[in-house]
Amino acid sequence: MVSTASALPRRQPLARAADEFALTVVLLFLAVTVVRWLRDPGSALYIADLDVALAIIGVVSGIILTSLMFSPPGKRAGGHMNPAVTIALWLMNAFPGQSVPPYILAQLAGSAVGTGLARLVWGRAVSFPPVDYAAIRAASTWQPASVFLAEMGSMMVLIVVVGFFLTRPGCARLLPYVIGLSVGLVIAFLGPRSGGSINPARQFGPAALSGRTTDLWIYLVAPVLGAVLGASVDHALNRRFRTRRALVTIPTAFVPDLPQSPSASAAAVQGPFPVRRSVCSPQAISRWRRIVKRSPT
């Protein structure tokens, strides 16, 4: 007979992955919707200037992303909606390794479903240029190598910022706003240049349905490599300045609900980078939980 306590960790990855799937479906549906209304020449909200349109899209996207992170599914699952973020958090020992594959599959599937749902709701206008399923496109003057470096570098910086906020309890609750602002700035400034994706799930569904798969590998690989580099920088900084905290016990943005057993929680998030044993002790975990319970939501 399997006890409830032992069954919970096994059920949790799939339940949280289902939340990630739903979040990514909504994210991509809204992303395609915004592009459809702002970039379709037949729309009453059409904006001809690409730079202005992408600036507005960046602001709206940041608000959408922040709102989804604060939603009930976002709080339960951590609200990644980005395979590169999921991988980075695992490398930073802030996310259980067993949940990485189901999260990534859920995010990519949600990308395709959300894009297809937008096509069903808004009709053929979604498939016509310049909407084209909201697929990311780099400027014609940008070479693939430049696009790759821009996408990789942007994600690396973002992960370093995420690591900084996650390791500071006083700042962790601000992370959804920081992420929304950062993504909005990337879209506004890099959108007219490299495309400003920094999210494999953001490009996967639109590229697959539109047939724009020539440079898809860049938008799939570059953010992941940037996430790995960002996690490495975060690890080096924490090792140098000894600022690492018990990330596994802070149920805030990007960190999903974990099993209630302190020992199970500590073991579940063990990634390739070492965690100081004293930080992940049951006493430290209990102390963090008391702090979180007293903190206003």
Side-chain angles (χ1 to χ4, degrees):
M1 180 176 179
V2 181
S3 67
T4 303
S6 61
L8 177 62
R10 286 196 293 270
R11 292 198 303 266
Q12 219 170 27
L14 293 180
R16 297 300 176 257
D19 288 327
E20 275 292 302
F21 171 79
L23 289 167
T24 311
V25 168
V26 175
L27 176 65
L28 265 295
F29 174 79
L30 294 178
V32 176
T33 298
V34 171
V35 175
R36 178 258 182 271
W37 286 105
L38 294 184
R39 293 299 294 159
D40 178 13
S43 168
L45 302 176
Y46 174 64
I47 299 177
D49 190 302
L50 180 60
D51 289 354
V52 175
L54 285 173
I56 296 175
I57 290 172
V59 172
V60 175
S61 299
I63 294 173
I64 292 172
L65 187 59
T66 301
S67 300
L68 289 175
M69 292 174 69
F70 276 120
S71 69
K75 291 179 179 180
R76 290 194 300 266
H80 302 183
M81 296 169 278
N82 187 333
V85 168
T86 298
I87 292 172
L89 291 173
W90 168 62
L91 293 175
M92 296 191 308
N93 305 297
F95 186 72
Q98 64 179 352
S99 294
V100 172
Y103 261 53
I104 292 177
L105 291 175
Q107 290 154 356
L108 295 179
S111 174
V113 172
T115 306
L117 182 61
R119 172 64 173 83
L120 290 176
V121 172
W122 302 118
R124 298 177 63 187
V126 168
S127 62
F128 294 153
V131 178
D132 213 9
Y133 291 93
I136 298 295
R137 294 187 296 272
S140 58
T141 56
W142 275 55
Q143 298 299 316
S146 300
V147 175
F148 191 98
L149 290 175
E151 294 291 310
M152 180 184 67
S154 299
M155 177 53 72
M156 182 181 70
V157 173
L158 179 62
I159 293 304
V160 173
V161 172
V162 168
F164 175 85
F165 276 81
L166 278 179
T167 55
R168 288 157 178 81
C171 300
R173 60 176 59 89
L174 301 176
L175 187 55
Y177 303 104
V178 174
I179 297 302
L181 176 61
S182 300
V183 171
L185 290 174
V186 169
I187 294 174
F189 288 101
L190 287 181
R193 298 166 179 83
S194 71
S197 172
I198 64 169
N199 182 351
R202 169 60 183 84
Q203 179 70 338
F204 177 75
L209 271 69
S210 66
R212 291 182 172 273
T213 57
T214 302
D215 295 328
L216 176 59
W217 71 272
I218 294 178
Y219 296 102
L220 296 180
V221 175
V224 173
L225 183 56
V228 172
L229 293 175
S232 300
V233 171
D234 174 79
H235 174 62
L237 291 175
N238 284 309
R239 184 173 56 184
R240 173 67 178 81
F241 298 105
R242 300 181 182 275
T243 58
R244 174 61 67 206
R245 298 291 187 268
L247 300 180
V248 301
T249 64
I250 308 176
T252 183
F254 287 150
V255 182
D257 294 338
L258 292 170
Q260 296 301 311
S261 168
S263 59
S265 298
V269 299
Q270 182 65 48
F273 294 152
V275 177
R276 293 168 59 192
R277 184 178 302 275
S278 60
V279 172
C280 288
S281 65
Q283 293 80 7
I285 290 174
S286 299
R287 183 168 61 254
W288 275 111
R289 282 187 174 144
R290 288 196 298 271
I291 294 174
V292 170
K293 287 181 180 179
R294 292 197 299 265
S295 299
T297 55

